[in-house]
Amino acid sequence: MSTLEAHNHISPDSGKPTVLHPNFNPKIRNWNPTDPIREEITPPKDRAHFADPDKKRLLSVATATDLTEGIGTLLEGVQLSQLDGEQLDDLALLVAERGVVFLRAQDLTTETQVKLFEHYGILDKHPAQKDAQHVIIKGSAGDWRQDAAYTPWPQAGWHADTSFEVNPPSYSLLRMEAHPEVGGDTAWVSQYGLFDALSPTYQKLFESLHAVHTSRLQYDTILDLWGVGPNRPPIDTHHPAVRTHPVTRLKAWNVNEGFVTGFAELKKVESDKLLDFANYHIHSADDQLVRWKWDVGSVAMWDNRAVIHRVIPGRYQQGSRRGVRTTVFGEKPFLDPNSETRDERERRVTK
């Protein structure tokens, strides 16, 4: 059971736990990470570059159904374990274009999932992950609104996986091994769509900025709430607030609630106000959202460069939700000013 240091210190006035600064929390103050901060790498060429533009090799054995206009596709009639390399490349392109692809009743095991995902690049290792091959995802059954009074990191916040890394992940795949009948859904929002939804003036503003992605808030929370020691020291990384996807060449918003604490070029009050807007923009993006109801054997594969996501907290029984996630390194985020938005491309193509 997760515990917070604040729960060990009760105020005699309110009868509620105190809020402790991380420097006064011995679990955080005394932890010494074992691994160094990462250096930038050049990952292998994205497998979507090798795909058939029409994805014929994949769609000859599977049926694809788009779940919303701008994000999410259900793939049926196929087992991932049976796809060859060319079909896996087509899947990567489908994920890059649609943001997230779902499959049900998959026969993967952890071992075969890891082997399959090695096709997409170098497997990443989460800061709290002891096994270099995969990480266990459980979801939140606690009162995250209450925990937010005592933890600096928005546990249920919208995020792209470890976007603070100098090489943030490209593709992630989550396979569910156990799941409650009700609750524990995951939702994804299109970062192509989030950028499209901005006014031209705000698009230009965000294109001129670097978002400050930090692991510091998660670092403190991992130690305090999860009781796990992060492998690496906390870092702050400045990434373009708008990035160009290396495969689709589309502009995508690169701001998220979970790891972005401000904008490097702005003064503090300016940054705080713009971040307030950014979080509002994400939370109001129902027209750019897809929500997935899991069952055992379900799989979701998504592109962290094109979407952000969050698990929907619930009151399901602790320990009844368990998934295995594999992730691969992506390129260092960049903005090509000559790239285009998804809306601009649609208008150009349909002329």
Side-chain angles (χ1 to χ4, degrees):
M1 184 68 179
S2 300
T3 59
L4 290 163
E5 180 67 20
H7 293 165
N8 297 325
H9 307 270
I10 306 300
S11 166
D13 299 311
S14 68
K16 298 292 184 180
T18 61
V19 178
L20 294 180
H21 186 280
N23 288 341
F24 295 98
N25 184 332
K27 288 186 288 187
I28 298 171
R29 184 184 65 242
N30 297 333
W31 179 251
N32 293 310
T34 56
D35 297 346
I37 292 176
R38 286 175 170 170
E39 301 290 335
E40 181 183 350
I41 65 169
T42 300
K45 189 173 182 179
D46 195 302
R47 294 307 308 180
H49 284 297
F50 301 95
D52 180 323
D54 296 321
K55 299 170 281 291
K56 294 177 182 177
R57 298 169 300 196
L58 174 65
L59 299 181
S60 67
V61 297
T63 301
T65 304
D66 291 344
L67 300 181
T68 75
E69 291 178 288
I71 180 173
T73 295
L74 177 64
L75 207 58
E76 297 177 288
V78 68
Q79 290 289 331
L80 287 177
S81 61
Q82 300 303 310
L83 296 182
D84 62 25
E86 291 182 338
Q87 292 164 331
L88 290 174
D89 293 344
D90 286 359
L91 175 60
L93 180 58
L94 181 62
V95 171
E97 292 174 345
R98 295 292 300 168
V100 56
V101 171
F102 305 103
L103 302 97
R104 294 197 183 277
Q106 294 297 294
D107 61 7
L108 291 172
T109 63
T110 298
E111 181 179 1
T112 57
Q113 176 180 338
V114 167
K115 183 177 180 180
L116 179 150
F117 221 60
E118 286 176 333
H119 177 79
Y120 292 112
I122 302 170
L123 291 173
D124 194 3
K125 182 178 179 181
H126 188 276
Q129 184 176 339
K130 300 307 180 186
D131 188 317
Q133 302 298 304
H134 67 276
V135 63
I136 302 300
I137 303 296
K138 296 181 180 180
S140 174
D143 185 346
W144 64 276
R145 292 180 177 87
Q146 183 64 45
D147 287 347
Y150 309 107
T151 60
W153 181 52
Q155 298 175 67
W158 293 97
H159 64 284
D161 290 334
T162 59
S163 66
F164 50 78
E165 300 286 11
V166 64
N167 286 96
S170 53
Y171 303 108
S172 293
L173 186 146
L174 177 60
R175 173 181 56 88
M176 204 55 64
E177 291 188 329
H179 206 271
E181 291 186 8
V182 178
D185 299 356
T186 304
W188 286 259
V189 167
S190 170
Q191 296 194 105
Y192 300 141
L194 284 171
F195 189 65
D196 283 338
L198 295 172
S199 66
T201 300
Y202 257 43
Q203 287 182 346
K204 291 177 183 177
L205 172 60
F206 278 102
E207 284 184 278
S208 72
L209 299 174
H210 287 81
V212 179
H213 296 248
T214 184
S215 67
R216 296 179 187 278
L217 306 184
Q218 187 192 59
Y219 177 94
D220 291 348
T221 304
I222 286 173
L223 277 163
D224 192 8
L225 182 63
W226 298 356
V228 176
N231 301 310
R232 301 187 296 279
I235 58 169
D236 300 305
T237 309
H238 294 186
H239 290 312
V242 181
R243 67 185 297 177
T244 300
H245 194 287
V247 177
T248 66
R249 305 305 297 182
L250 294 175
K251 292 178 180 177
W253 215 39
N254 191 28
V255 181
N256 67 71
E257 182 184 25
F259 299 117
V260 173
T261 56
F263 300 94
E265 290 82 359
L266 300 183
K267 296 178 180 179
K268 180 66 164 63
V269 174
E270 296 170 339
S271 179
D272 288 348
K273 295 300 182 184
L274 192 60
L275 190 61
D276 284 345
F277 164 76
N279 290 336
Y280 164 81
H281 189 54
I282 293 170
H283 280 269
S284 64
D286 291 356
D287 55 337
Q288 308 295 341
L289 178 147
V290 65
R291 179 166 171 165
W292 178 246
K293 180 175 175 56
W294 294 95
D295 50 25
V296 175
S298 289
V299 164
M301 179 174 168
W302 65 92
D303 190 326
N304 288 281
R305 303 162 297 188
V307 297
I308 53 178
H309 65 280
R310 71 187 289 248
V311 61
I312 308 300
R315 298 182 179 181
Y316 47 87
Q317 183 179 356
Q318 188 78 21
S320 63
R321 187 182 192 272
R322 174 188 168 92
V324 175
R325 191 185 77 199
T326 43
T327 303
V328 292
F329 288 103
E331 73 289 344
K332 183 178 180 180
F334 67 95
L335 174 61
D336 179 355
N338 296 316
S339 55
E340 59 189 343
T341 71
R342 187 171 59 180
D343 282 352
E344 288 172 338
R345 178 168 296 175
E346 288 180 358
R347 288 193 295 268
R348 175 174 58 82
V349 170
T350 56
K351 278 185 178 180

